[in-house]
Amino acid sequence: DTEVTQTPKHLVMGMTNKKSLKCEQHMGHRAMYWYKQKAKKPPELMFVYSYEKLSINESVPSRFSPECPNSSLLNLHLHALQPEDSALYLCASSQGDLNTEAFFGQGTRLTVV
Amino acid sequence: LAKTTQPISMDSYEGQEVNITCSHNNIATNDYITWYQQFPSQGPRFIIQGYKTKVTNEVASLFIPADRKSSTLSLPRVSLSDTAVYYCLVGDNSGGYQKVTFGIGTKLQVIP
């Protein structure tokens, strides 16, 4: 199984809602990532987890809260988002070694209204 | 973190070989060079990775000169389905894993 599965595929939420994005991989990868991608822009790194611990937070606002419950799962909790947070949110995983590829999910298309 | 520079866009006719060059002048000794392909509204897909000289797989070839300050992704005989954005990345090995950071990318348009 070389897939990274993200749910839901699409999400519409109001600015006062709380929602969560989920990501799952069963490749035994030790590093997991969240990216945000706006239209016609490259993916922007948000968070990196290594061995289930948060290793990198790229100065992401606190309305985005990541969680890694175990080595296969990665969540992104959303609260009080703004319309400008609408984007494609991508999850990825990698073995965690120096020369390995990252596998990406298909993303969650988030719309904040 | 080594910065990469690539052309913003390229056009090619079907059946031609396409070469996309990426500059990474301050690449570090331990850094690998990785290329990803992305179609609209999909996650990026790994194409190829290399450290030096030449790497070839069933999809592409990657040429890296001795000074490693640039690399060239070569796609043989492109088809319409190769229309996508291609990203060149240079690894940042801090923390013992690849900090996968994307540059602008090259939008390849394959023309019939």
Side-chain angles (χ1 to χ4, degrees), chain A residues 31 33 35 37 40-43 45 48 50 55-56 58 88 90 94 96-102 104-107 109, chain B residues 30 32 34 36 38 40-46 49 87 89 93-105 107:
Chain A
Y33 311 75
Y35 289 82
Q37 187 173 26
K40 301 188 186 303
K41 298 289 187 184
L45 184 64
V48 181
S50 177
S55 296
I56 292 180
E58 294 283 274
L88 181 67
L90 295 161
S94 71
D97 295 332
L98 301 181
N99 60 338
T100 57
E101 65 188 271
F104 284 80
Q106 292 299 291
R109 174 70 63 187
Chain B
N30 291 334
Y32 279 72
T34 311
Y36 288 83
Q38 187 178 27
S41 298
Q42 293 188 25
R45 183 176 72 100
F46 173 89
Q49 184 179 70
Y87 294 100
L89 285 74
N93 299 316
S94 60
Y97 51 82
Q98 287 271 348
K99 181 179 175 182
V100 186
T101 304
F102 290 82
I104 294 298
K107 183 172 183 179

Side-chain angles (χ1 to χ4, degrees), chain A residues 21-66:
Chain A
L21 308 185
K22 297 185 183 302
C23 175
E24 189 168 4
Q25 58 90 10
H26 295 288
M27 294 175 278
H29 287 171
R30 296 171 287 183
M32 295 187 76
Y33 311 75
W34 279 115
Y35 289 82
K36 172 183 176 180
Q37 187 173 26
K38 302 282 277 184
K40 301 188 186 303
K41 298 289 187 184
E44 296 176 37
L45 184 64
M46 300 174 72
F47 302 104
V48 181
Y49 272 82
S50 177
Y51 291 94
E52 302 171 43
K53 295 194 186 304
L54 183 64
S55 296
I56 292 180
N57 176 342
E58 294 283 274
S59 303
V60 179
S62 59
R63 58 186 183 269
F64 296 92
S65 175

Side-chain angles (χ1 to χ4, degrees), chain A residues 80-101:
Chain A
L81 295 193
Q82 303 297 311
E84 58 265 29
D85 296 321
S86 298
L88 181 67
Y89 287 84
L90 295 161
C91 173
S93 70
S94 71
Q95 183 63 34
D97 295 332
L98 301 181
N99 60 338
T100 57
E101 65 188 271

Side-chain angles (χ1 to χ4, degrees), chain B residues 24-64:
Chain B
H24 28 79
N25 290 320
N26 58 338
I27 187 169
T29 303
N30 291 334
D31 286 345
Y32 279 72
I33 301 155
T34 311
W35 286 79
Y36 288 83
Q37 174 193 56
Q38 187 178 27
F39 299 111
S41 298
Q42 293 188 25
R45 183 176 72 100
F46 173 89
I47 301 175
I48 198 166
Q49 184 179 70
Y51 183 80
K52 62 180 180 181
T53 62
K54 177 183 175 182
V55 180
T56 297
N57 61 24
E58 64 276 7
V59 177
S61 294
L62 179 60
F63 299 92
I64 305 169

Side-chain angles (χ1 to χ4, degrees), chain B residues 15-31:
Chain B
Q16 289 189 331
E17 178 185 75
V18 171
N19 296 308
I20 306 174
T21 297
C22 178
S23 297
H24 28 79
N25 290 320
N26 58 338
I27 187 169
T29 303
N30 291 334
D31 286 345

